[in-house]
């Protein structure tokens, strides 16, 4: 019970924070509504009490006019609820619910990006909570504030009814409270169990949802059809759902004994209290009006709205709780700090010194002791097989992760001392899995460097250098075209077109100087486009420190220096000609590719 | 394929439609439980209203100083309260179980319908995608639809039993529903307003969600962090929420005003009802107990109405999703079905495209124009061309994800449009560039390529071997039984590893008529691609005795050159067709592109 009260107060604080005005008005309304319900009990009871007088002395007598006045008051009291309170309360829901959605979203974004690193985002616990915070998989509407209003209203109405009853039969509220207590115990054991995530069926529910989502995601539509997976997905989904529910049903069956006890207590409590009302009424200890008030107040103490609201609140509130619990799932290694300025870096070199790193939760290390030099102002190509750690190296360089041993230095400064935001503003990165922002192409390019996003000339230059100027001309709304088919006037780009957009974004960022990182920048470009890009490689990278990551040997020749990696180590380094004449791994892999082009 | 006309305005009609759909699902999932629910739930309401009778009995006994009658009334009230408790609890339990069962049933309908539409043309239709998106992200609410439905039944039962009791006091009170009716109409209007708001705001809601995802997925967040976009994205999120809140409030305000004045009408009705009974009591035509009865009923109805206002808004949320589902069902039902002839066992002569033209639904630009092409049985065909030449679209046409707008595709002279989609697809194998990362057991991730053999380890190993990916499985801690995907605390693979498994999946089927591979090796490194291709070319040739046609798309000319036939697409038209040597000799587009790539290795 106390845990529930604490949880309620905690949610209340969030509602209050996210929509203070609406929450305040709603709170006042709840009190007024509870007062209204009990006022109606009293007024209508008095009304009934006035009837024998009105019958005896006629409508024109003082007893008669008392009845008429009470009638009018009852009408006004009831009218207030139906005309003002209830519709207004519902209207306030808009603000509280939108407020909560905004608050959850804000929290999600701040916790996601705030720590500065990525470690938490790859943590399944964090992702579970994040998914739940957005209401994914909730099996009821997410209307936490509405359920909370229903609960508060029910409680206050019950308390009001108990106070009224106390005035006439002091011990009756105590007896009824016992009944209410047992009822709550039962409903908690039985009904709310339905929404209890702790029943051990979470895995099955999540798997059911996974199969369901697979069927609904447009991205899987082709393979589902090609392989005829429809009935397979249905079967799996239903199988997991059934198993999840079976666990709940079994548990629910266990509460039957409690139901019998609750029913007996209920009968006993009501027999005693109603019996007392009847007894005192007939004996004349309670007047007719008082009796009518008592009878209605007894009804008022039994309010199933609380049961209904509580059940849903517990469930719906899980989204809120998950969002509030996000911060606790952020491990220390995700928090990236540093205070030094990064202006003009790097001037001399970036050095990886005996860097050790493994992904959190993964077995095995990516680097046990990596040493690597990158000269400022020149281009370095890093080649190696899939999974050798090329992309990890970039993540470390961008401080998305911290080395677990050794250090990375920039011009001799430990990267860990440099303010992450300052250092990142010196980076322009095209990730292999670059982001496809579902926003206008203006943002898709401008997001490379927010400071330059309003500079049309800078945007045009970046787009031209990335070979995407023609693309913008071909778009129906030019720069304002949304790059996602799900929006009116939006378009879907091909993989190659997307790649150019991502490149343009990096080109804009590179306007500020610093380090340009290209991670497989031509993976979806066609032959001609790739050749064009590398033909202009020198121009694109002039004045920048460039890191090119690829497994395509044809494209690394343009780099000043080539680094070959294997097993998390640098095994060869030098220019193309040097490496070819050295006859090592690079030469072997290059010849393997080249051989296929020989007649 | 024409759009089926379905009402997109969820008004009373689609509420009834939606209710019927939910009831049907509930009935199909658990007929007996549905019946019990339909009986027990209204019973709880009738119980509540019966309390009014006992109360009247008690009142009159008190006035008449009749202790026996008073105690009987008190006993009835106590019993009635307990019975109400049991019936209410029972109906909750039935409702919850039905909600589970019917929710799964509605999910089943949803999945069957979305996976069952034979083509993917509907993915170009925003009105379809919007609904699908809402059902995907908000679809858990289908599980609440049964509760909503019972919410309506409760309201109706309450109103009906109230009416019967009031009618006993004075037949004039049977006219009360005339004053309730406007309130119901106002409720429906509110629903319409909110649905209109939801429809008009789909894009804003989607952007807002997208912004949240950018900060939540590790893939996107790394770039967002490097670009320093955090504050900007938060600000956009805040602005969108402000716009949405204002818009929803305006949509809601109209409904609220409607509820206020119709609530006033209903209040007048209730006050009038009490007044009428009270007046009759002063005339000696009714007792004080009757007045209390009227008061009690009005209080119950009034409280219920406050509840109904709430329940309607909950109901509306779930019912809006049901309306989306109902729309999808109608849409799918309106699609033409091919009940086809049987697909041949093997290709004897070849596959032929005659005058095939294609453009995406709702667009003007031709993606493929007048393709005439003969793919001989047993051949390995490479499809090359620059970005946007139409390669992927042609691949989709062969899998019948879309149908050609003009022209035909025939197998040994038989139009493939005459086969049922699932029959045709059962006889082809396909691997796509944008493959799915099925987070299942490694065995299943490969095995779904040939469902009947999903658990057949030998088949999976053979397929992986064909794909040159046997080593990928050896690297997994539990081999084929390894759970893939971080969300299950399983193993996460690199892009290249996922692609290898996807290729294995494409090669699961034995002896298909047609194997289509759209850039199957783009994420693989040079040695892997090399090894794969050696193996693959050999396997393709071995199968060619069965007449299997292999068609693959690649940008790598080192791979392309090994094909029997190379088709060069340019701007949606066939530019050149021939063998590597032919095309190189011809000195056209192919020779030019080949030269560009070869140059890099000299």
């Amino acid at each position: 019970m106390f845990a529930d009260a604490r949880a309620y107060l905690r949610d209340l604080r969030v509602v209050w924070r996210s929509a203070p005005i609406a929450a305040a008005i709603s709170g006042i309304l709840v009190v007024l509504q509870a007062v209204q319900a009990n006022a109606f009990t009293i007024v209508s009871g008095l009304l009934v009490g006035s009837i024998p007088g009105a019958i005896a002395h006629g409508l024109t007598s003082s007893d008669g006019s008392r009845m008429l006045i009470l009638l009018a008051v009852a009408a006004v009291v009831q009218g207030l609820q139906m005309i003002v309170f209830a519709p207004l309360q519902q209207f306030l829901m808009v603000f509280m619910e939108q407020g909560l959605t905004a608050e959850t979203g804000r929290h999600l974004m701040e916790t996601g990006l705030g720590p500065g690193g990525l470690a938490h985002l790859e943590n399944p616990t964090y992702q579970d909570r994040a998914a739940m915070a957005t209401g994914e998989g909730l099996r009821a509407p997410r209307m936490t504030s509405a359920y909370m209003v229903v609960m508060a209203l029910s409680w206050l109405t019950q308390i009001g009814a108990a106070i009224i009853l106390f005035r006439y039969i002091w011990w009756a509220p105590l007896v009824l409270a016992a009944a209410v207590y047992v009822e709550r115990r039962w409903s908690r054991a039985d009904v709310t169990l339905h929404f209890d995530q702790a029943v051990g069926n979470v895995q099955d529910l999540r798997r059911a949802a996974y199969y369901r989502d697979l069927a609904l995601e447009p991205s899987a539509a082709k393979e589902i059809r090609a392989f005829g997976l429809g009935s397979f997905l249905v079967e799996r989904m239903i199988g997991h759902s059934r198993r999840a529910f079976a666990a709940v049903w079994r548990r629910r069956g266990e509460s039957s004994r409690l139901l019998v006890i609750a029913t007996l207590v209920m009968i006993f409590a009501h027999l005693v209290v109603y019996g007392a009302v009847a007894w005192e009424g007939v004996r004349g200890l309670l007047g007719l009006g008082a009796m009518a008030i008592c009878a209605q107040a007894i009804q008022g103490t039994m309010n199933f709205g609380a049961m209904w609201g509580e059940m849903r609140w517990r469930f719906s509130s899980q989204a809120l709780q998950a969002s509030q619990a996000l911060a606790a799932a952020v491990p220390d290694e995700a928090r990236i700090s540093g205070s030094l300025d990064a202006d003009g870096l790097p001037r001399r070199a970036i050095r990886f010194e005996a860097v050790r790193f493994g992904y959190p939760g993964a077995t095995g290390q990516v680097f046990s002791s990596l040493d690597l030099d990158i000269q400022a102002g020149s281009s370095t190509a890093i080649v190696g097989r899939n999974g050798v750690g090329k992309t990890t190296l970039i993540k470390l360089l961008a401080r998305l992760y911290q080395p677990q041993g050794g250090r990375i230095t920039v011009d001799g400064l430990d990267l860990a001392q440099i303010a992450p935001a300052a250092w990142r503003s010196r980076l322009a990165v095209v990730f292999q899995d670059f982001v496809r922002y579902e926003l206008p192409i203006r943002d898709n390019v401008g997001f490379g460097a927010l400071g330059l996003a309003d500079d049309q000339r800078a945007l045009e230059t970046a787009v031209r250098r990335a070979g995407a100027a023609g693309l913008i001309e071909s778009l129906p709304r030019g720069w304002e075209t949304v790059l996602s088919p799900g929006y009116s006037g939006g378009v879907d780009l091909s993989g190659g077109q997307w790649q150019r957009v991502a490149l343009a974004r990096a080109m804009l960022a590179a306007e500020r100087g610093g380090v340009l990182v290209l991670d497989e920048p031509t993976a979806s470009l066609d032959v001609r486009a790739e050749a064009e890009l590398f033909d202009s490689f020198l121009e694109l990278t002039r004045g920048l420190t460039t890191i090119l990551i690829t497994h395509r040997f044809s494209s690394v020749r343009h780099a000043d220096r080539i680094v070959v990696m294997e097993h998390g180590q640098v095994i060869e380094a030098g220019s193309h000609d040097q490496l070819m004449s050295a006859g090592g791994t690079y030469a072997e892999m290059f010849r393997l590719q080249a051989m296929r082009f020989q007649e | 394929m024409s759009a089926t006309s379905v009402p997109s305005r969820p008004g009373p009609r689609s509420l009834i439609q939606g209710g019927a759909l939910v009831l049907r699902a509930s009935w199909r999932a658990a007929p007996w439980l549905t019946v019990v629910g339909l009986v027990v739930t209204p019973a709880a309401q009738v119980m509540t209203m019966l309390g009014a009778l006992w109360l009247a009995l008690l009142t009159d006994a008190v006035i008449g100083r009749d202790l026996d009658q008073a105690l009987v009334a008190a006993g009835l009230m106590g019993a009635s309260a307990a019975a109400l408790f049991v019936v209410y609890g029972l109906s909750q339990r039935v409702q919850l179980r039905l909600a589970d069962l019917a929710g799964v049933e509605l999910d089943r309908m949803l999945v069957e319908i979305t996976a069952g539409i034979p083509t993917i043309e509907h993915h170009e239709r925003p009105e379809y995608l919007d609904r699908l998106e809402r059902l995907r992200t908000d679809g858990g609410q289908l599980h609440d639809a049964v509760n909503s439905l019972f919410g309506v039944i409760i309201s109706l039962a309450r109103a009906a039993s109230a009416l019967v009791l009031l009618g006993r006091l004075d037949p004039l009170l049977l006219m009360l529903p005339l004053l309730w009716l406007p309130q119901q109409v106002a409720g429906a209007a509110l629903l319409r307003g909110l649905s209109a708001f939801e429809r008009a705001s789909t894009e804003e809601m989607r952007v807002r969600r997208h912004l949240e995802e950018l900060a939540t997925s590790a893939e996107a967040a790394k770039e967002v962090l490097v670009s320093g976009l955090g504050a900007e994205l938060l600000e956009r999120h805040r602005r969108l929420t402000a716009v949405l809140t204002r818009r929803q409030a305006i949509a809601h305000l109209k409904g609220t005003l409607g509820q206020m004045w119709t609530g006033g009408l209903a209040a007048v009705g209730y006050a009038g009802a009490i007044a009428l009974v009270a007046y009759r009591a002063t005339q000696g035509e009714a007792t004080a107990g009757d007045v209390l009865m009227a008061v009690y009923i009005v209080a119950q109805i009034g409280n219920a109405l406050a509840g109904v206002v709430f329940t309607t808004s909950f109901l509306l949320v779930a019912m809006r999703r049901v309306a989306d589902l109902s729309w999808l069902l109608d849409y799918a039902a309106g699609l033409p079905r091919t009940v086809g002839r049987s697909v041949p066992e093997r290709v004897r002569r070849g596959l032929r495209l005659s005058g095939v033209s294609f453009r995406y639904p709702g667009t003007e630009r031709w993606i493929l124009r007048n393709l005439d092409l003969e793919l001989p049985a047993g051949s390995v065909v490479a499809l090359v061309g620059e970005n946007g030449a139409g390669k992927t679209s042609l691949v989709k046409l062969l899998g019948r994800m879309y149908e050609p707008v003009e022209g035909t595709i025939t197998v040994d002279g038989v139009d493939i449009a005459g086969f049922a989609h699932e029959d045709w697809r059962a006889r082809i194998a396909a691997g796509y560039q944008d493959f799915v990362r099925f987070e299942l057991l490694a065995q299943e991730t490969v095995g779904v390529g040939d469902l009947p053999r999903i658990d057949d380890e030998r088949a999976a190993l053979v397929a992986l071997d064909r794909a040159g990916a046997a080593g990928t499985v050896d690297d997994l801690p539990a081999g084929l039984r390894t759970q893939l995907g971080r969300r299950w605390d399983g193993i996460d693979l690199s892009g290249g590893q996922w692609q290898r498994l996807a290729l294995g999946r494409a090669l699961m089927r034995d002896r298909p008529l047609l194997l289509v591979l759209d850039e199957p090796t783009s994420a693989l490194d040079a040695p892997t691609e090399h090894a794969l291709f050696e193996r693959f070319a050999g396997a393709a040739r071995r199968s060619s005795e069965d007449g299997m046609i292999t068609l693959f798309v690649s940008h790598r000319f080192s791979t392309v050159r090994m094909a029997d036939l190379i088709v060069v697409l340019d701007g949606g038209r066939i530019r050149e067709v021939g063998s590597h040597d032919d095309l190189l000799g011809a000195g056209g587009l192919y020779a030019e592109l080949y030269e560009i790539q070869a140059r890099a290795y000299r």
Side-chain angles (χ1 to χ4, degrees):
Chain A
M1 285 259 182
F2 287 115
D4 282 340
R6 265 200 303 278
Y8 190 91
L9 287 176
R10 185 200 50 215
D11 285 3
L12 197 59
R13 267 198 296 277
V14 183
V15 176
W16 172 256
R17 218 175 29 234
S18 38
I21 300 175
I25 302 177
S26 172
I28 295 170
L29 273 180
V30 165
V31 174
L32 289 177
Q33 283 179 290
V35 169
Q36 180 274 339
N38 287 302
F40 186 77
T41 298
I42 295 173
V43 174
S44 60
L46 295 178
L47 171 67
V48 171
S50 73
I51 287 174
I55 295 173
H57 306 109
L59 276 179
T60 49
S61 68
S62 68
D63 279 347
S65 53
R66 180 182 149 83
M67 188 196 91
L68 289 176
I69 290 167
L70 283 169
L71 201 54
V73 174
V76 169
V77 169
Q78 192 64 8
L80 268 179
Q81 158 73 351
M82 293 170 71
I83 301 170
V84 184
F85 295 163
L88 201 56
Q89 186 69 271
Q90 197 190 9
F91 181 60
L92 291 170
M93 234 42 96
V94 175
F95 299 95
M96 292 197 281
E97 278 310 304
Q98 283 284 357
L100 282 182
T101 311
E103 166 75 11
T104 312
R106 190 181 60 79
H107 205 73
L108 207 58
M109 294 173 76
E110 280 178 351
T111 327
L113 301 175
L118 283 185
H120 58 304
L121 295 180
E122 296 193 332
N123 177 340
T125 312
Y126 183 91
Q127 286 297 342
D128 279 358
R129 290 183 189 171
M132 191 165 245
T134 58
E136 223 165 79
L138 277 193
R139 285 180 295 120
R142 192 175 65 167
M143 298 192 77
T144 313
S145 62
Y147 304 132
M148 289 171 71
V149 164
V150 171
M151 286 165 77
L153 183 53
S154 301
W155 288 334
L156 287 182
T157 309
Q158 278 175 305
I159 292 171
I163 293 173
I164 293 175
L165 205 53
F166 179 78
R167 157 86 177 64
Y168 295 102
I169 308 171
W170 66 269
W171 50 266
L174 300 178
V175 175
L176 291 171
V180 169
Y181 174 76
V182 178
E183 176 250 319
R184 286 295 145 78
R185 276 288 302 278
W186 172 78
S187 83
R188 195 157 292 139
D190 188 84
V191 178
T192 50
L193 183 74
H194 177 68
F195 297 114
D196 196 343
Q197 291 289 321
V199 185
N201 54 24
V202 192
Q203 275 288 330
D204 276 315
L205 280 181
R206 289 182 58 213
R207 285 197 192 249
Y210 176 71
Y211 288 108
R212 176 175 173 281
D213 288 353
L214 260 183
L216 303 193
E217 264 165 35
S219 59
K222 267 192 309 213
E223 284 191 70
I224 285 170
R225 280 160 184 77
F227 300 121
L229 301 183
S231 52
F232 165 73
L233 296 175
V234 167
E235 233 168 73
R236 289 268 170 123
M237 178 188 75
I238 290 187
H240 284 292
S241 301
R242 289 255 161 86
R243 223 167 324 168
F245 294 139
V248 178
W249 293 342
R250 260 197 312 278
R251 284 279 300 274
R252 214 181 279 160
E254 293 165 11
S255 63
S256 295
R257 208 166 52 107
L258 202 53
L259 177 63
V260 175
I261 297 172
T263 308
L264 291 176
V265 173
M266 196 66 72
I267 291 179
F268 174 76
H270 281 87
L271 280 181
V272 168
V273 175
Y274 277 121
V277 171
W279 178 268
E280 298 198 0
V282 173
R283 284 296 145 108
L285 298 172
L286 275 182
L288 181 60
M291 190 225 66
I293 291 172
C294 284
Q296 291 207 79
I298 295 169
Q299 289 284 336
T301 59
M302 288 307 301
N303 190 328
F304 292 115
M307 191 209 260
W308 185 89
E310 185 182 336
M311 163 178 111
R312 270 137 196 279
W313 163 70
R314 278 162 159 253
F315 182 63
S316 178
S317 149
Q318 284 169 3
L320 213 55
Q321 286 167 34
S323 115
Q324 302 296 310
L326 277 174
V330 179
D332 283 341
E333 67 246 46
R335 300 187 196 280
I336 311 290
S337 58
S339 55
L340 295 184
D341 207 17
D343 264 358
L345 294 182
R347 292 188 190 84
R348 298 197 306 278
I350 299 168
R351 275 204 183 88
F352 284 65
E353 298 171 6
V355 166
R356 181 164 57 82
F357 180 75
Y359 283 100
T363 51
Q365 291 193 324
V366 184
F367 304 123
S368 55
S369 177
L370 174 71
D371 290 292
L372 173 68
D373 276 14
I374 291 160
Q375 295 305 312
S378 71
S379 57
T380 306
I382 299 174
V383 293
R385 291 168 178 248
N386 289 343
V388 80
K390 303 185 296 273
T391 303
T392 306
L393 194 141
I394 298 311
K395 289 186 189 165
L396 288 172
L397 180 67
R399 298 204 61 201
L400 296 168
Y401 288 95
Q402 337 221 40
Q404 286 139 4
R407 59 176 200 156
I408 303 169
T409 62
V410 181
D411 295 355
L413 283 175
D414 189 342
L415 190 56
Q417 310 282 321
I418 301 176
W423 170 243
R424 284 171 186 160
S425 74
R426 302 296 300 154
L427 300 180
V429 186
V430 182
F431 284 101
Q432 192 174 0
D433 53 348
F434 52 82
V435 180
R436 300 169 179 214
Y437 294 103
E438 294 178 13
L439 294 168
I441 191 167
R442 176 179 296 285
D443 292 330
N444 265 285
V445 178
F447 275 5
L450 282 179
L452 295 171
D454 295 328
D455 182 342
Q456 187 63 27
R457 280 203 27 214
L459 290 177
E460 305 271 359
T461 311
V463 162
R464 203 181 55 248
R465 298 176 87 186
L471 169 65
I472 301 223
E473 281 165 28
S474 75
L475 292 175
R477 296 187 190 172
W479 280 97
E480 313 310 326
T481 310
V482 176
L483 301 187
S484 169
Y487 299 83
S488 55
V491 297
D492 197 10
L493 298 187
S494 71
Q497 290 171 321
W498 265 117
Q499 195 133 39
R500 282 171 207 259
V501 171
L503 193 60
R505 182 155 70 229
M507 284 295 130
L508 186 73
E511 284 285 302
R512 305 172 299 191
V515 185
L516 172 65
V517 182
L518 303 168
D519 190 355
E520 299 287 359
T522 60
S524 11
L525 291 186
D526 60 40
V527 180
R528 198 193 301 272
E530 182 183 11
E532 277 167 10
L533 178 70
F534 284 111
D535 284 347
S536 56
F537 188 71
L538 280 180
E539 193 226 327
L540 293 180
T541 62
R542 183 164 298 134
L544 298 168
T545 305
T546 306
I547 302 173
L548 170 67
I549 294 183
T550 181
H551 57 249
R552 295 201 187 184
F553 289 82
S554 57
S555 48
V556 299
R557 286 211 300 207
H558 306 272
D560 300 325
R561 186 155 168 275
I562 297 165
V563 173
V564 184
M565 289 185 64
E566 203 170 289
H567 305 303
Q569 301 272 359
V570 174
I571 54 164
E572 290 170 27
S575 70
H576 174 74
D577 293 338
Q578 285 168 344
L579 292 176
M580 285 307 283
S581 54
T585 306
Y586 177 82
E588 184 198 334
M589 286 167 95
F590 188 87
R591 288 205 185 93
L592 184 71
Q593 289 270 68
M595 199 175 72
R596 312 207 63 81
F597 285 96
Q598 265 130 41
E599 305 307 313
Chain B
M1 203 178 307
S2 71
T4 45
S5 71
V6 276
S8 55
R9 269 165 49 112
R13 196 169 99 78
S14 70
L15 256 187
I16 293 170
Q17 256 183 351
L21 180 62
V22 174
L23 208 57
R24 201 166 73 217
S26 174
W27 172 261
R28 263 208 260 171
W32 281 111
L33 213 54
T34 306
V35 173
V36 173
L38 287 176
V39 173
V40 164
T41 308
Q45 298 312 313
V46 176
M47 291 279 202
T48 313
M49 285 304 172
L50 279 182
L53 276 182
W54 317 144
L55 206 52
L57 197 63
L58 179 65
T59 312
D60 294 339
V62 166
I63 294 172
R65 301 269 184 244
D66 181 344
L67 187 58
D68 287 347
Q69 192 190 330
L71 288 178
V72 167
L76 282 170
M77 291 181 90
S80 170
L84 172 61
F85 171 71
V86 174
V87 170
Y88 186 82
L90 191 64
S91 84
Q92 281 293 319
R93 193 181 267 204
V94 170
Q95 269 185 52
L96 289 175
R97 187 175 269 227
L98 270 182
D100 290 347
L101 291 169
V104 173
E105 179 66 19
L106 288 169
D107 271 350
R108 192 183 63 76
M109 288 179 174
L110 176 60
V111 168
E112 274 180 357
I113 220 70
T114 42
I117 297 174
T119 69
I120 57 173
E121 283 197 15
H122 51 288
H123 284 218
E124 313 289 332
R125 305 172 68 97
E127 77 268 29
Y128 176 91
L129 284 180
D130 286 351
R131 288 186 168 84
L132 198 62
E133 165 83 5
R134 289 200 294 260
L135 280 164
R136 193 169 64 80
T137 54
D138 244 7
Q141 295 180 2
L142 289 180
H143 286 258
D144 203 47
V146 165
N147 295 330
S148 306
L149 185 66
F150 278 103
V152 176
I153 293 173
I154 286 171
S155 309
L156 290 178
R158 207 192 294 253
S161 43
L163 210 57
V164 169
L165 290 174
L166 289 174
R168 252 175 40 106
L169 297 178
D170 190 325
L172 196 59
L173 294 178
L174 290 173
M175 305 296 280
L176 267 182
L178 289 179
L179 293 173
W180 294 345
L181 208 59
Q183 208 173 22
Q184 304 312 310
V185 174
L190 180 62
L191 165 62
R192 263 201 307 282
L194 288 181
S195 295
F197 156 75
E198 199 172 57
R199 272 199 310 281
S201 308
T202 316
E203 295 192 358
E204 283 87 350
M205 292 193 211
R206 195 180 296 156
V207 175
R208 191 165 66 167
R209 203 172 180 87
H210 178 58
L211 293 176
E212 290 170 6
E213 276 164 10
L214 288 175
T216 313
S217 94
E219 290 77 30
K222 66 177 185 293
E223 188 171 333
V224 169
L225 283 169
V226 171
S227 304
L229 297 176
E232 169 75 14
L233 298 187
L234 260 173
E235 173 58 20
R236 287 182 184 223
H237 191 277
R238 195 193 60 72
R239 281 204 307 257
L240 276 171
T241 303
V243 168
L244 286 171
T245 307
R246 200 173 53 235
R247 206 183 284 168
Q248 192 182 354
I250 291 169
H252 207 293
L253 190 60
K254 253 177 76 180
T256 301
L257 294 175
Q259 284 185 322
M260 285 179 165
W261 76 261
T262 53
L265 273 186
V268 167
Y270 296 128
I274 297 176
L276 182 65
V277 179
Y279 172 75
R280 290 194 49 168
T282 57
Q283 302 306 304
E285 292 163 22
T287 65
D290 289 340
V291 179
L292 185 53
M293 186 162 140
V295 165
Y296 176 89
I297 290 170
V298 168
Q300 286 294 325
I301 293 265
N303 288 343
L305 275 176
V308 164
V309 176
F310 276 122
T311 349
T312 3
S313 45
F314 302 129
L315 168 83
L316 304 191
V317 180
M319 274 307 178
R320 293 209 294 265
R321 292 297 80 77
V322 174
D324 285 334
L325 174 60
S326 172
W327 188 93
L328 289 187
L329 288 169
D330 285 354
Y331 174 82
L335 295 177
R337 297 272 154 176
T338 326
V339 191
R341 55 175 92 198
S342 58
V343 182
E345 269 307 296
R346 48 188 287 188
V347 186
R348 289 172 202 285
R349 279 173 286 139
L351 192 80
R352 186 185 189 90
L353 281 72
S354 320
V356 169
S357 293
F358 177 70
R359 61 182 167 203
Y360 286 96
T363 63
E364 291 300 311
R365 199 166 60 88
W366 289 103
I367 302 295
L368 296 171
R369 198 73 185 115
N370 270 327
L371 300 195
D372 286 303
L373 185 61
E374 175 91 50
L375 310 178
S379 62
V380 176
V381 182
L383 196 56
V384 299
E386 298 178 64
N387 288 342
K391 305 182 295 287
T392 298
S393 300
L394 180 54
V395 166
K396 287 184 194 162
L397 287 188
L398 290 173
R400 293 187 63 199
M401 299 299 164
Y402 295 88
E403 303 288 359
V405 176
E406 291 169 12
T408 55
I409 303 172
T410 54
V411 166
D412 292 343
V414 182
D415 191 343
I416 65 169
F419 305 134
H421 284 87
E422 52 276 24
D423 294 347
W424 170 245
R425 289 182 186 136
R427 299 290 297 127
I428 67 174
Y432 298 98
Q433 198 179 353
D434 50 348
F435 55 87
V436 181
R437 299 172 177 208
F438 287 103
E439 298 190 3
L440 311 172
L441 297 180
Q443 163 72 40
E444 296 169 336
T445 304
V446 177
V448 290
D450 192 13
L451 266 187
R453 297 192 297 164
I454 181 170
D455 292 320
D456 185 337
E457 295 207 358
R458 282 210 13 222
L461 287 174
V462 168
L464 286 168
D465 196 48
R466 284 177 192 151
T472 308
V473 172
D474 295 339
D475 293 343
L476 297 175
L480 282 172
R481 308 308 299 174
T482 306
Q483 173 69 53
L484 303 179
R486 284 298 290 271
R487 80 175 82 203
W488 314 122
D489 270 331
I491 300 295
D492 197 20
L493 303 178
S494 72
Q497 288 172 312
W498 275 117
Q499 192 170 40
R500 273 177 256 205
L501 293 188
L503 189 58
R505 175 158 74 240
L507 300 177
M508 264 298 282
R509 281 185 181 152
D510 276 333
R511 303 167 48 134
L513 300 179
L514 172 68
L515 169 64
V516 194
L517 298 169
D518 188 2
E519 298 209 47
T521 60
S522 64
L524 302 189
D525 52 41
T528 313
E529 190 203 58
H530 182 88
L532 170 69
F533 186 70
E534 303 266 87
R535 194 185 289 269
F536 177 69
R541 302 229 185 286
R542 271 196 302 283
S543 320
S544 64
E545 293 135 37
D546 294 334
M548 176 177 96
I549 299 169
T550 304
L551 180 116
F552 67 92
V553 179
S554 177
H555 284 308
R556 300 191 193 199
F557 286 81
S558 51
T559 310
V560 168
R561 62 177 291 180
M562 306 296 285
D564 302 321
L565 188 70
I566 297 164
V567 178
V568 186
L569 278 181
D570 185 26
R573 291 169 191 272
I574 294 178
R575 179 85 167 256
E576 296 160 19
V577 182
S579 71
H580 173 73
D581 292 335
D582 294 345
L583 294 179
L584 214 54
L589 180 60
Y590 179 82
E592 186 194 342
L593 295 173
Y594 182 83
E595 185 51 33
I596 292 174
Q597 212 168 60
R599 203 174 56 209
Y601 291 102
R602 284 197 201 108

